[in-house]
Amino acid sequence: MQVTFELPSVNGKRNRPRKTAPAHIRDKDAAIAWGHSILGDLLREHMVAPQGVLREEKSEPKPEPKKERSQVSPSSVMTVGEFWTEHMEGDYFTRLAPGTRQDYAKKWTRYIAPVLADLPLDKIGREEVRALRKQVQKLPKRGSRNTVLGLARTMLAYAARLDIVDVDDLPTIHPEEGGADPEETPRYSEDQANRMVEAAEKIGPEHLAALLLMLDGLLRVSEVCALRWTDVDLERSRITVRHNISGGQAWRPKHQKKKSKPKSVGMSPRLVAALRSLERKGDLVLVHRSGRQHTRSTIQTMMRKVQRRAEVPVWSPHKFKHTGVSVMGEHNAPLTLIQGQARHAHVSTTARYIHVDEDTHAEKAAAFYAAMATKRPPAATTEQKPGFGPN
């Protein structure tokens, strides 16, 4: 067990040596007591000047030195690594989706732990934050770097909430500035989407159903894997999204709170027809040829075959949902309707998916106003009463 000491600064830099307690000491209080017992030796080492260097004597009085931020004493607060294991993995993560837990665990291992794991929570300062920022520069995207910084910020805030460390002792970890990363790839055009539908029809009914569930139903890949026949109402052209998989485990759909009512989406006629043509092999709508539940990887393999047959770029299956949202926007569907079908928590998310064609935008706007004019009753003219309005 390591004990951290806070000694007077040297040349303006913080001086925090760490010493390893003897092997027989495993209790934190005992380690702190041992740290106090060797504190005098550390202070003497700190105060002794190097050989050959004479101390300068000045007749003028020296200014009052700045007060050190803390007393010369070892830290009794658990390390960041201990807090991660005991409170983040043991408590905080239990409310997160399994896939999110796995992602956070990777970010901790690769980026946060190498910099902060051995430090006590109350000894993290600006230098350590700078070291963390340097570590996350290994990530190419600003959004990914900010995710790691946000995870570190959440961890420290949780420690303060549990009263393990004083919030005043914690540094502020600001996100990297510069806005969101530019989008990696554009969405498919409506023509490309139709070519993929034609290609899927030639390959087989399962490929077609999987494609249309994402393209028209706007389901996520993980929701397609978990979709059950009990969730599908072919007569009402409706799907109730009740199931999802995250990190290989069953989990509630994204943005659906625990014990909240599941959301529903509408189906296009071609999606209804595709589902009717499927052979039912059990409770799941789509079943892998091995008889097991599909995974994100197996769905991606199916869609890669469709993309190549249609001679379109091979992108992530999530681009099908992106494309479906954009096509609805191009066909003048109201933004709130698209938000409901996509099940976005915020309408600003939906707006990012919709691409405005500058060449046709003015024509569509004019057609919209013309349609409104035909439905709107003629404006009534009323005689203005004295004392109201301009004279």
Side-chain angles (χ1 to χ4, degrees), residues 339-367:
Q339 179 192 8
Q341 180 74 355
R343 291 166 293 123
H344 290 151
H346 305 285
V347 73
S348 58
T349 304
T350 310
R352 289 203 307 266
Y353 277 67
I354 297 175
H355 298 258
V356 177
D357 188 344
E358 294 182 359
D359 295 334
T360 61
H361 172 71
E363 295 177 6
K364 290 182 178 179

PDB file of all heavy atoms in Angstrom, residues 339-367:
ATOM      1  N   GLN A 339     -39.187  12.756 -35.113  1.00  0.00           N
ATOM      2  CA  GLN A 339     -38.615  12.531 -33.784  1.00  0.00           C
ATOM      3  C   GLN A 339     -39.287  11.352 -33.091  1.00  0.00           C
ATOM      4  O   GLN A 339     -38.624  10.508 -32.481  1.00  0.00           O
ATOM      5  CB  GLN A 339     -38.757  13.785 -32.927  1.00  0.00           C
ATOM      6  CG  GLN A 339     -38.192  13.623 -31.507  1.00  0.00           C
ATOM      7  CD  GLN A 339     -38.603  14.760 -30.587  1.00  0.00           C
ATOM      8  OE1 GLN A 339     -39.425  15.596 -30.948  1.00  0.00           O
ATOM      9  NE2 GLN A 339     -38.045  14.784 -29.389  1.00  0.00           N
ATOM     10  N   GLY A 340     -40.614  11.271 -33.190  1.00  0.00           N
ATOM     11  CA  GLY A 340     -41.338  10.173 -32.563  1.00  0.00           C
ATOM     12  C   GLY A 340     -41.007   8.833 -33.186  1.00  0.00           C
ATOM     13  O   GLY A 340     -40.835   7.836 -32.483  1.00  0.00           O
ATOM     14  N   GLN A 341     -40.906   8.795 -34.517  1.00  0.00           N
ATOM     15  CA  GLN A 341     -40.589   7.541 -35.204  1.00  0.00           C
ATOM     16  C   GLN A 341     -39.147   7.099 -34.890  1.00  0.00           C
ATOM     17  O   GLN A 341     -38.891   5.907 -34.711  1.00  0.00           O
ATOM     18  CB  GLN A 341     -40.756   7.725 -36.719  1.00  0.00           C
ATOM     19  CG  GLN A 341     -40.457   6.492 -37.557  1.00  0.00           C
ATOM     20  CD  GLN A 341     -41.531   5.422 -37.479  1.00  0.00           C
ATOM     21  OE1 GLN A 341     -42.491   5.526 -36.718  1.00  0.00           O
ATOM     22  NE2 GLN A 341     -41.373   4.378 -38.280  1.00  0.00           N
ATOM     23  N   ALA A 342     -38.229   8.063 -34.806  1.00  0.00           N
ATOM     24  CA  ALA A 342     -36.832   7.736 -34.505  1.00  0.00           C
ATOM     25  C   ALA A 342     -36.602   7.511 -33.020  1.00  0.00           C
ATOM     26  O   ALA A 342     -35.560   7.007 -32.618  1.00  0.00           O
ATOM     27  CB  ALA A 342     -35.915   8.847 -35.005  1.00  0.00           C
ATOM     28  N   ARG A 343     -37.583   7.948 -32.178  1.00  0.00           N
ATOM     29  CA  ARG A 343     -37.492   7.826 -30.723  1.00  0.00           C
ATOM     30  C   ARG A 343     -36.270   8.557 -30.174  1.00  0.00           C
ATOM     31  O   ARG A 343     -35.567   8.062 -29.294  1.00  0.00           O
ATOM     32  CB  ARG A 343     -37.483   6.349 -30.302  1.00  0.00           C
ATOM     33  CG  ARG A 343     -38.811   5.648 -30.544  1.00  0.00           C
ATOM     34  CD  ARG A 343     -38.710   4.134 -30.452  1.00  0.00           C
ATOM     35  NE  ARG A 343     -37.899   3.625 -31.552  1.00  0.00           N
ATOM     36  CZ  ARG A 343     -36.800   2.894 -31.386  1.00  0.00           C
ATOM     37  NH1 ARG A 343     -36.374   2.591 -30.181  1.00  0.00           N
ATOM     38  NH2 ARG A 343     -36.130   2.471 -32.426  1.00  0.00           N
ATOM     39  N   HIS A 344     -36.028   9.733 -30.717  1.00  0.00           N
ATOM     40  CA  HIS A 344     -34.967  10.583 -30.193  1.00  0.00           C
ATOM     41  C   HIS A 344     -35.456  11.302 -28.945  1.00  0.00           C
ATOM     42  O   HIS A 344     -36.587  11.799 -28.908  1.00  0.00           O
ATOM     43  CB  HIS A 344     -34.534  11.617 -31.237  1.00  0.00           C
ATOM     44  CG  HIS A 344     -33.800  11.010 -32.391  1.00  0.00           C
ATOM     45  ND1 HIS A 344     -33.811  11.557 -33.665  1.00  0.00           N
ATOM     46  CD2 HIS A 344     -33.005   9.903 -32.466  1.00  0.00           C
ATOM     47  CE1 HIS A 344     -33.079  10.805 -34.466  1.00  0.00           C
ATOM     48  NE2 HIS A 344     -32.586   9.809 -33.771  1.00  0.00           N
ATOM     49  N   ALA A 345     -34.606  11.384 -27.942  1.00  0.00           N
ATOM     50  CA  ALA A 345     -34.986  12.065 -26.707  1.00  0.00           C
ATOM     51  C   ALA A 345     -35.127  13.567 -26.922  1.00  0.00           C
ATOM     52  O   ALA A 345     -35.947  14.217 -26.266  1.00  0.00           O
ATOM     53  CB  ALA A 345     -33.956  11.776 -25.617  1.00  0.00           C
ATOM     54  N   HIS A 346     -34.344  14.122 -27.842  1.00  0.00           N
ATOM     55  CA  HIS A 346     -34.356  15.563 -28.085  1.00  0.00           C
ATOM     56  C   HIS A 346     -34.536  15.826 -29.577  1.00  0.00           C
ATOM     57  O   HIS A 346     -33.938  15.147 -30.421  1.00  0.00           O
ATOM     58  CB  HIS A 346     -33.059  16.213 -27.597  1.00  0.00           C
ATOM     59  CG  HIS A 346     -32.755  15.923 -26.157  1.00  0.00           C
ATOM     60  ND1 HIS A 346     -33.428  16.534 -25.116  1.00  0.00           N
ATOM     61  CD2 HIS A 346     -31.863  15.078 -25.585  1.00  0.00           C
ATOM     62  CE1 HIS A 346     -32.955  16.068 -23.968  1.00  0.00           C
ATOM     63  NE2 HIS A 346     -32.006  15.193 -24.222  1.00  0.00           N
ATOM     64  N   VAL A 347     -35.351  16.825 -29.892  1.00  0.00           N
ATOM     65  CA  VAL A 347     -35.610  17.141 -31.291  1.00  0.00           C
ATOM     66  C   VAL A 347     -34.353  17.664 -31.973  1.00  0.00           C
ATOM     67  O   VAL A 347     -34.205  17.557 -33.199  1.00  0.00           O
ATOM     68  CB  VAL A 347     -36.768  18.169 -31.387  1.00  0.00           C
ATOM     69  CG1 VAL A 347     -36.307  19.550 -30.937  1.00  0.00           C
ATOM     70  CG2 VAL A 347     -37.334  18.223 -32.800  1.00  0.00           C
ATOM     71  N   SER A 348     -33.411  18.199 -31.200  1.00  0.00           N
ATOM     72  CA  SER A 348     -32.155  18.672 -31.790  1.00  0.00           C
ATOM     73  C   SER A 348     -31.376  17.515 -32.398  1.00  0.00           C
ATOM     74  O   SER A 348     -30.667  17.687 -33.402  1.00  0.00           O
ATOM     75  CB  SER A 348     -31.303  19.372 -30.730  1.00  0.00           C
ATOM     76  OG  SER A 348     -31.038  18.504 -29.641  1.00  0.00           O
ATOM     77  N   THR A 349     -31.496  16.323 -31.825  1.00  0.00           N
ATOM     78  CA  THR A 349     -30.852  15.138 -32.404  1.00  0.00           C
ATOM     79  C   THR A 349     -31.461  14.820 -33.759  1.00  0.00           C
ATOM     80  O   THR A 349     -30.754  14.532 -34.734  1.00  0.00           O
ATOM     81  CB  THR A 349     -31.001  13.933 -31.466  1.00  0.00           C
ATOM     82  OG1 THR A 349     -30.476  14.259 -30.187  1.00  0.00           O
ATOM     83  CG2 THR A 349     -30.276  12.718 -32.024  1.00  0.00           C
ATOM     84  N   THR A 350     -32.771  14.870 -33.842  1.00  0.00           N
ATOM     85  CA  THR A 350     -33.458  14.610 -35.108  1.00  0.00           C
ATOM     86  C   THR A 350     -33.037  15.620 -36.164  1.00  0.00           C
ATOM     87  O   THR A 350     -32.811  15.259 -37.331  1.00  0.00           O
ATOM     88  CB  THR A 350     -34.984  14.683 -34.902  1.00  0.00           C
ATOM     89  OG1 THR A 350     -35.351  13.877 -33.777  1.00  0.00           O
ATOM     90  CG2 THR A 350     -35.729  14.196 -36.132  1.00  0.00           C
ATOM     91  N   ALA A 351     -32.940  16.893 -35.775  1.00  0.00           N
ATOM     92  CA  ALA A 351     -32.583  17.948 -36.727  1.00  0.00           C
ATOM     93  C   ALA A 351     -31.208  17.709 -37.336  1.00  0.00           C
ATOM     94  O   ALA A 351     -30.968  18.050 -38.500  1.00  0.00           O
ATOM     95  CB  ALA A 351     -32.631  19.308 -36.035  1.00  0.00           C
ATOM     96  N   ARG A 352     -30.284  17.109 -36.576  1.00  0.00           N
ATOM     97  CA  ARG A 352     -28.938  16.845 -37.106  1.00  0.00           C
ATOM     98  C   ARG A 352     -28.966  15.800 -38.205  1.00  0.00           C
ATOM     99  O   ARG A 352     -28.085  15.765 -39.064  1.00  0.00           O
ATOM    100  CB  ARG A 352     -28.012  16.377 -35.989  1.00  0.00           C
ATOM    101  CG  ARG A 352     -27.628  17.457 -35.010  1.00  0.00           C
ATOM    102  CD  ARG A 352     -26.335  17.116 -34.290  1.00  0.00           C
ATOM    103  NE  ARG A 352     -26.377  15.801 -33.670  1.00  0.00           N
ATOM    104  CZ  ARG A 352     -26.729  15.587 -32.402  1.00  0.00           C
ATOM    105  NH1 ARG A 352     -27.092  16.608 -31.647  1.00  0.00           N
ATOM    106  NH2 ARG A 352     -26.731  14.379 -31.898  1.00  0.00           N
ATOM    107  N   TYR A 353     -29.965  14.915 -38.175  1.00  0.00           N
ATOM    108  CA  TYR A 353     -30.053  13.859 -39.171  1.00  0.00           C
ATOM    109  C   TYR A 353     -30.584  14.363 -40.509  1.00  0.00           C
ATOM    110  O   TYR A 353     -30.386  13.745 -41.539  1.00  0.00           O
ATOM    111  CB  TYR A 353     -30.994  12.745 -38.684  1.00  0.00           C
ATOM    112  CG  TYR A 353     -30.369  11.734 -37.768  1.00  0.00           C
ATOM    113  CD1 TYR A 353     -29.934  12.084 -36.499  1.00  0.00           C
ATOM    114  CD2 TYR A 353     -30.219  10.415 -38.156  1.00  0.00           C
ATOM    115  CE1 TYR A 353     -29.375  11.158 -35.643  1.00  0.00           C
ATOM    116  CE2 TYR A 353     -29.662   9.473 -37.316  1.00  0.00           C
ATOM    117  CZ  TYR A 353     -29.239   9.854 -36.057  1.00  0.00           C
ATOM    118  OH  TYR A 353     -28.678   8.936 -35.222  1.00  0.00           O
ATOM    119  N   ILE A 354     -31.336  15.454 -40.483  1.00  0.00           N
ATOM    120  CA  ILE A 354     -32.030  15.911 -41.683  1.00  0.00           C
ATOM    121  C   ILE A 354     -31.120  16.812 -42.495  1.00  0.00           C
ATOM    122  O   ILE A 354     -30.597  17.803 -41.995  1.00  0.00           O
ATOM    123  CB  ILE A 354     -33.334  16.650 -41.310  1.00  0.00           C
ATOM    124  CG1 ILE A 354     -34.278  15.668 -40.602  1.00  0.00           C
ATOM    125  CG2 ILE A 354     -33.996  17.248 -42.537  1.00  0.00           C
ATOM    126  CD1 ILE A 354     -35.527  16.310 -40.080  1.00  0.00           C
ATOM    127  N   HIS A 355     -30.924  16.446 -43.746  1.00  0.00           N
ATOM    128  CA  HIS A 355     -30.062  17.210 -44.640  1.00  0.00           C
ATOM    129  C   HIS A 355     -30.930  18.100 -45.528  1.00  0.00           C
ATOM    130  O   HIS A 355     -31.849  17.625 -46.187  1.00  0.00           O
ATOM    131  CB  HIS A 355     -29.227  16.269 -45.517  1.00  0.00           C
ATOM    132  CG  HIS A 355     -28.317  15.395 -44.717  1.00  0.00           C
ATOM    133  ND1 HIS A 355     -26.972  15.631 -44.588  1.00  0.00           N
ATOM    134  CD2 HIS A 355     -28.573  14.285 -43.974  1.00  0.00           C
ATOM    135  CE1 HIS A 355     -26.429  14.701 -43.823  1.00  0.00           C
ATOM    136  NE2 HIS A 355     -27.390  13.880 -43.447  1.00  0.00           N
ATOM    137  N   VAL A 356     -30.645  19.373 -45.540  1.00  0.00           N
ATOM    138  CA  VAL A 356     -31.408  20.321 -46.348  1.00  0.00           C
ATOM    139  C   VAL A 356     -30.708  20.503 -47.691  1.00  0.00           C
ATOM    140  O   VAL A 356     -29.532  20.853 -47.754  1.00  0.00           O
ATOM    141  CB  VAL A 356     -31.528  21.681 -45.632  1.00  0.00           C
ATOM    142  CG1 VAL A 356     -32.253  22.678 -46.513  1.00  0.00           C
ATOM    143  CG2 VAL A 356     -32.248  21.504 -44.304  1.00  0.00           C
ATOM    144  N   ASP A 357     -31.435  20.226 -48.749  1.00  0.00           N
ATOM    145  CA  ASP A 357     -30.914  20.446 -50.099  1.00  0.00           C
ATOM    146  C   ASP A 357     -31.167  21.903 -50.478  1.00  0.00           C
ATOM    147  O   ASP A 357     -32.314  22.325 -50.652  1.00  0.00           O
ATOM    148  CB  ASP A 357     -31.613  19.493 -51.082  1.00  0.00           C
ATOM    149  CG  ASP A 357     -30.986  19.537 -52.477  1.00  0.00           C
ATOM    150  OD1 ASP A 357     -30.235  20.500 -52.755  1.00  0.00           O
ATOM    151  OD2 ASP A 357     -31.244  18.622 -53.263  1.00  0.00           O
ATOM    152  N   GLU A 358     -30.118  22.675 -50.577  1.00  0.00           N
ATOM    153  CA  GLU A 358     -30.272  24.109 -50.836  1.00  0.00           C
ATOM    154  C   GLU A 358     -30.926  24.383 -52.187  1.00  0.00           C
ATOM    155  O   GLU A 358     -31.584  25.401 -52.372  1.00  0.00           O
ATOM    156  CB  GLU A 358     -28.900  24.792 -50.767  1.00  0.00           C
ATOM    157  CG  GLU A 358     -28.280  24.756 -49.379  1.00  0.00           C
ATOM    158  CD  GLU A 358     -26.955  25.477 -49.331  1.00  0.00           C
ATOM    159  OE1 GLU A 358     -26.526  25.983 -50.399  1.00  0.00           O
ATOM    160  OE2 GLU A 358     -26.343  25.549 -48.255  1.00  0.00           O
ATOM    161  N   ASP A 359     -30.754  23.466 -53.148  1.00  0.00           N
ATOM    162  CA  ASP A 359     -31.318  23.688 -54.486  1.00  0.00           C
ATOM    163  C   ASP A 359     -32.840  23.557 -54.497  1.00  0.00           C
ATOM    164  O   ASP A 359     -33.516  24.193 -55.297  1.00  0.00           O
ATOM    165  CB  ASP A 359     -30.705  22.694 -55.483  1.00  0.00           C
ATOM    166  CG  ASP A 359     -29.207  22.916 -55.673  1.00  0.00           C
ATOM    167  OD1 ASP A 359     -28.766  24.066 -55.469  1.00  0.00           O
ATOM    168  OD2 ASP A 359     -28.502  21.951 -56.005  1.00  0.00           O
ATOM    169  N   THR A 360     -33.372  22.697 -53.626  1.00  0.00           N
ATOM    170  CA  THR A 360     -34.821  22.450 -53.640  1.00  0.00           C
ATOM    171  C   THR A 360     -35.530  23.031 -52.424  1.00  0.00           C
ATOM    172  O   THR A 360     -36.750  22.968 -52.343  1.00  0.00           O
ATOM    173  CB  THR A 360     -35.097  20.930 -53.701  1.00  0.00           C
ATOM    174  OG1 THR A 360     -34.523  20.310 -52.531  1.00  0.00           O
ATOM    175  CG2 THR A 360     -34.479  20.322 -54.954  1.00  0.00           C
ATOM    176  N   HIS A 361     -34.778  23.567 -51.490  1.00  0.00           N
ATOM    177  CA  HIS A 361     -35.386  24.060 -50.258  1.00  0.00           C
ATOM    178  C   HIS A 361     -36.410  25.170 -50.529  1.00  0.00           C
ATOM    179  O   HIS A 361     -37.524  25.135 -50.008  1.00  0.00           O
ATOM    180  CB  HIS A 361     -34.299  24.583 -49.310  1.00  0.00           C
ATOM    181  CG  HIS A 361     -34.845  25.280 -48.116  1.00  0.00           C
ATOM    182  ND1 HIS A 361     -35.482  24.609 -47.097  1.00  0.00           N
ATOM    183  CD2 HIS A 361     -34.878  26.598 -47.773  1.00  0.00           C
ATOM    184  CE1 HIS A 361     -35.866  25.461 -46.181  1.00  0.00           C
ATOM    185  NE2 HIS A 361     -35.523  26.678 -46.556  1.00  0.00           N
ATOM    186  N   ALA A 362     -36.044  26.144 -51.369  1.00  0.00           N
ATOM    187  CA  ALA A 362     -36.945  27.264 -51.642  1.00  0.00           C
ATOM    188  C   ALA A 362     -38.217  26.787 -52.334  1.00  0.00           C
ATOM    189  O   ALA A 362     -39.321  27.249 -52.023  1.00  0.00           O
ATOM    190  CB  ALA A 362     -36.229  28.311 -52.502  1.00  0.00           C
ATOM    191  N   GLU A 363     -38.076  25.838 -53.269  1.00  0.00           N
ATOM    192  CA  GLU A 363     -39.257  25.323 -53.978  1.00  0.00           C
ATOM    193  C   GLU A 363     -40.194  24.602 -53.010  1.00  0.00           C
ATOM    194  O   GLU A 363     -41.412  24.761 -53.077  1.00  0.00           O
ATOM    195  CB  GLU A 363     -38.815  24.368 -55.089  1.00  0.00           C
ATOM    196  CG  GLU A 363     -37.997  25.051 -56.197  1.00  0.00           C
ATOM    197  CD  GLU A 363     -37.532  24.052 -57.232  1.00  0.00           C
ATOM    198  OE1 GLU A 363     -37.945  22.874 -57.129  1.00  0.00           O
ATOM    199  OE2 GLU A 363     -36.763  24.419 -58.130  1.00  0.00           O
ATOM    200  N   LYS A 364     -39.630  23.814 -52.106  1.00  0.00           N
ATOM    201  CA  LYS A 364     -40.462  23.085 -51.153  1.00  0.00           C
ATOM    202  C   LYS A 364     -41.163  24.042 -50.190  1.00  0.00           C
ATOM    203  O   LYS A 364     -42.322  23.836 -49.828  1.00  0.00           O
ATOM    204  CB  LYS A 364     -39.605  22.085 -50.372  1.00  0.00           C
ATOM    205  CG  LYS A 364     -39.114  20.901 -51.208  1.00  0.00           C
ATOM    206  CD  LYS A 364     -38.304  19.931 -50.358  1.00  0.00           C
ATOM    207  CE  LYS A 364     -37.866  18.734 -51.182  1.00  0.00           C
ATOM    208  NZ  LYS A 364     -37.057  17.781 -50.386  1.00  0.00           N
ATOM    209  N   ALA A 365     -40.439  25.079 -49.778  1.00  0.00           N
ATOM    210  CA  ALA A 365     -41.046  26.053 -48.877  1.00  0.00           C
ATOM    211  C   ALA A 365     -42.212  26.771 -49.562  1.00  0.00           C
ATOM    212  O   ALA A 365     -43.278  26.976 -48.966  1.00  0.00           O
ATOM    213  CB  ALA A 365     -39.991  27.065 -48.409  1.00  0.00           C
ATOM    214  N   ALA A 366     -42.022  27.146 -50.841  1.00  0.00           N
ATOM    215  CA  ALA A 366     -43.088  27.817 -51.586  1.00  0.00           C
ATOM    216  C   ALA A 366     -44.285  26.899 -51.766  1.00  0.00           C
ATOM    217  O   ALA A 366     -45.443  27.325 -51.621  1.00  0.00           O
ATOM    218  CB  ALA A 366     -42.554  28.269 -52.950  1.00  0.00           C
ATOM    219  N   ALA A 367     -44.029  25.608 -52.060  1.00  0.00           N
ATOM    220  CA  ALA A 367     -45.126  24.649 -52.205  1.00  0.00           C
ATOM    221  C   ALA A 367     -45.869  24.454 -50.892  1.00  0.00           C
ATOM    222  O   ALA A 367     -47.097  24.310 -50.866  1.00  0.00           O
ATOM    223  CB  ALA A 367     -44.583  23.314 -52.708  1.00  0.00           C
TER     224      ALA A 367
END
